[in-house]
Amino acid sequence: MDKELVIDSQPSEVNIALLEDNSLVELQKEKNNNNYAVGDIYLGRVKKIMPGLNAAFVDVGYERDAFLHYLDLGPQVRSLIKFSNMTRSNKGPKPSMDHFNFEPDIEKTGKITQVLKSNQQVVVQIAKEPISTKGPRISSELSFAGRFLVLVPFSNRISISQKIKSSEERKRLKRLILSIKPKNFGVIIRTVAENKMVAELDTDLRNLTEKWNTLIKKLASAKAPQKVVSELDRTSALLRDILTESFNSINVNDQVLAEEIKHYIGTIAPKKVEIVKLYKGKKPIFEKFGVDKQIKSSFGKTVTIKSGVYLIIEHTEALHVIDVNSGHRVNKEISQEQNALAVNVEAAAEIARQLRLRDMGGIIVIDFIDMNEGKNRRALFQKLKEEMAKDRAKHTILPPSKFGLVQITRQRVRPEMNLEVLEKCPTCGGTGKIRPSIIITDEIENNLRYLLHDQNEKKLELALHPYLEAYLKKGIPSIRDKWYMKYKKWIKLKPMNSYHFLEYRFFNKNKEEIKM
């Protein structure tokens, strides 16, 4: 399977598209000011203890307090609190993990009032980003994820990914980690560590240990609420988790970001540095690689598959509902049961893709077309499991019920990707009536005059439909030439196939849209 990453860097955010065999399967948006990403570590302050929920609300600087449940404290939370208090204390020498004595584990059935109290400062890690009206969900069981390993402070346990099946390889990896693991740290061995040499694992472990040391240094002078250590940005975290030999290209439209990605890949997979390519084309990068078109066809309430099968995707407060419809796909040469199986199997592949693409979490209920034969329901269940195996999010799938319903629970750690593809018509403004097209050039020029004279814009770019662009360039002198002679500024025209016929937008020298 060929994998490709297309990265569109904008002034306010970075959009990341993952394509598998040219099909868009993941889309992520990273705001440049996202301070509450999964993995970030904060020094927080307990605001309120809720004994009825066996949880606490912790101030980490977000507008809504973060939620910390007793089960997310981690068994060694007392050791973490003791170590962080000693680190932040001005009295005595700073503690060292090599000589630190663990506190007793907390009870699994204990009460949060036995561990935390109001106004107490505690080190926490973001487990779920803020979603809808909820603040972040946090944990005090810290972990540092690397390329091959995950480092867990205040533990001595070594865990190995269940996806590594070979007993010999599991023994080898455990033996290697035991020989290089620092004292009082646990290690989780990730799937990609399979068949890796000790030098690669040691380098990864050293980098993670250095992250812990950075945390301790910053913690000494931190004041709650304050971020202490940042997780990797979304691009680097995605590369860390999914970069494999099957990746054949990473296309980026920003020089600085391209160099950062090259540097990061150089640390985790030096042989793959050459796949990073800087895109310099005139077309927007998402349009060039067909991402825009796939976004338009993949989001929204109705999703149509090439064969005519289509899905209806509805969202409620508690769950997501997906209805499978055969559309005009009917093969008269086979039975209704076989038709239903063919439609359901095709829909299963698209549904697995949609869950990844939209990052849908929680409970998902799928209404497949009814099938009477048990073997066909089992075949559908197997197909859905195979397709969902590509999903990195934790999930559970239940077999089809007698009503033809399949239930899936899928881990949600970030807000769902929900793009509105049915746009309000920019030409009529939703009224159904448009202004006379003959005055469109006068309207553009009025806005142009306002931006150049009243707003004193130094450089403008006008993005518009290709037909309108051709009209403005037509003749000698063209309308654009006349603008140059009148305003003494050359207006760059940028054709946009995705725009409506009379749609146009102005951009400044920083490529930021100017709202008119």
Side-chain angles (χ1 to χ4, degrees), residues 470-483:
Y471 179 72
L472 295 179
K473 288 181 175 180
K474 178 184 175 183
I476 303 177
S478 66
I479 294 175
R480 181 170 65 163
D481 294 336
K482 292 176 183 177
W483 288 347

Side-chain angles (χ1 to χ4, degrees), residues 337-338 341 371-380:
E337 180 80 5
Q338 289 302 311
L341 176 61
M371 295 183 295
N372 296 319
E373 297 182 21
K375 66 175 184 179
N376 290 336
R377 292 196 293 270
R378 288 191 294 273
L380 171 61

Side-chain angles (χ1 to χ4, degrees), residues 329-476:
R329 172 177 174 158
V330 178
N331 188 339
K332 296 179 181 178
E333 298 179 2
I334 60 177
S335 66
Q336 190 276 334
E337 180 80 5
Q338 289 302 311
N339 263 318
L341 176 61
V343 169
N344 286 339
V345 165
E346 187 173 4
E350 179 61 24
I351 288 168
R353 170 177 170 263
Q354 284 290 327
L355 298 188
R356 292 176 66 190
L357 183 56
R358 302 185 188 214
D359 206 2
M360 291 163 62
I363 302 172
I364 301 110
V365 178
I366 308 163
D367 182 11
F368 284 102
I369 296 174
D370 289 349
M371 295 183 295
N372 296 319
E373 297 182 21
K375 66 175 184 179
N376 290 336
R377 292 196 293 270
R378 288 191 294 273
L380 171 61
F381 182 51
Q382 186 59 36
K383 173 67 174 177
L384 193 55
K385 286 201 297 184
E386 289 173 3
E387 294 295 334
M388 288 293 293
K390 303 172 186 174
D391 195 342
R392 290 179 291 121
K394 293 178 182 176
H395 58 268
T396 304
I397 310 171
L398 297 182
S401 71
K402 61 181 179 181
F403 299 120
L405 302 177
V406 171
Q407 299 172 69
I408 298 175
T409 59
R410 185 176 182 273
Q411 181 188 33
R412 176 170 62 180
V413 295
R414 297 187 179 93
E416 180 188 343
M417 180 65 65
N418 191 13
L419 301 182
E420 186 58 65
V421 294
L422 296 178
E423 302 169 355
K424 182 179 179 181
C425 175
T427 308
C428 74
T431 64
K433 297 178 180 180
I434 65 171
R435 292 160 294 181
S437 56
I438 196 170
I439 67 169
I440 188 67
T441 54
D442 293 339
E443 181 185 301
I444 294 175
E445 187 174 353
N446 287 338
N447 288 326
L448 193 64
R449 185 188 307 114
Y450 168 75
L451 292 173
L452 292 174
H453 284 178
D454 296 356
Q455 298 298 312
N456 199 28
E457 292 286 348
K458 301 298 183 185
K459 186 177 180 181
L460 286 177
E461 179 179 272
L462 177 59
L464 67 182
H465 192 278
Y467 286 173
L468 200 51
E469 183 224 14
Y471 179 72
L472 295 179
K473 288 181 175 180
K474 178 184 175 183
I476 303 177

Side-chain angles (χ1 to χ4, degrees), residues 169-181:
E169 178 61 9
R170 294 174 71 88
K171 289 177 183 176
R172 184 189 75 91
L173 287 170
K174 189 168 186 177
R175 190 170 59 250
L176 286 179
I177 297 303
L178 274 171
S179 67
I180 60 176
K181 183 183 75 68

Side-chain angles (χ1 to χ4, degrees), residues 120-138:
Q120 180 178 348
Q121 296 190 33
V122 59
V123 179
V124 293
Q125 188 167 31
I126 304 294
K128 277 189 180 181
E129 292 180 10
I131 296 174
S132 185
T133 59
K134 299 175 182 177
R137 181 148 185 174
I138 55 178

Side-chain angles (χ1 to χ4, degrees), residues 54-67:
N54 205 14
F57 286 98
V58 181
D59 179 15
V60 292
Y62 188 66
E63 58 190 86
R64 291 180 180 273
D65 292 336
F67 183 76

